[in-house]
Amino acid sequence: METITPAEATPESCHTTHGYIGDKSKYLARLKRIEGQARGIHRMVDEETYCIDILTQISALTKALEGVALGLLDDHLKHCVVDAAKLGGEQADIKIKEASDAIARLVRS
């Protein structure tokens, strides 16, 4: 097996799969439910449902999306960031910055 130096490391060379692959079917099932929730909200607006009821469903949809995002972030930290940290150097710095930026985006939203 060829050794990769930190300078040669890329996201693809750090690992062969993404951290979420082990839970891919779980994520896809959750995203399918989220898609159904979004269609339900669309239908509620089309049927002129009471505003508070629509807002309640939007809140549930938002929480479901946040759950997926936090799961993906956790997988990213445990897999991609740890792999890069083992290599050290610039690749580790890049992965940590990516994770920090992703966390900042989640907190802002």
Side-chain angles (χ1 to χ4, degrees):
M1 178 180 234
E2 179 182 346
T3 303
I4 298 172
T5 67
E8 298 169 323
T10 66
E12 295 78 23
S13 66
C14 292
H15 41 76
T16 57
T17 61
H18 298 293
Y20 64 85
I21 293 300
D23 293 323
K24 181 179 175 180
S25 61
K26 177 183 79 170
Y27 282 116
L28 290 173
R30 290 176 77 184
L31 290 167
K32 190 170 188 163
R33 283 193 303 276
I34 289 168
E35 185 179 1
Q37 284 179 286
R39 281 194 306 271
I41 293 168
H42 182 275
R43 187 172 42 257
M44 290 174 80
V45 171
D46 187 47
E47 295 171 358
E48 300 177 9
T49 302
Y50 184 58
C51 343
I52 296 302
D53 294 338
I54 296 170
L55 291 169
T56 299
Q57 291 305 310
I58 290 172
S59 177
L61 178 64
T62 301
K63 289 294 180 193
L65 282 169
E66 287 173 354
V68 170
L70 290 173
L72 287 169
L73 179 61
D74 186 59
D75 288 339
H76 179 69
L77 290 170
K78 289 177 179 175
H79 193 263
C80 302
V81 174
V82 168
D83 286 352
K86 287 177 185 175
L87 290 172
E90 184 181 349
Q91 189 64 26
D93 294 340
I94 290 169
K95 287 296 179 193
I96 291 169
K97 173 102 172 74
E98 278 180 347
S100 294
D101 291 348
I103 292 166
R105 285 190 302 272
L106 285 171
V107 171
R108 282 193 301 262
S109 61

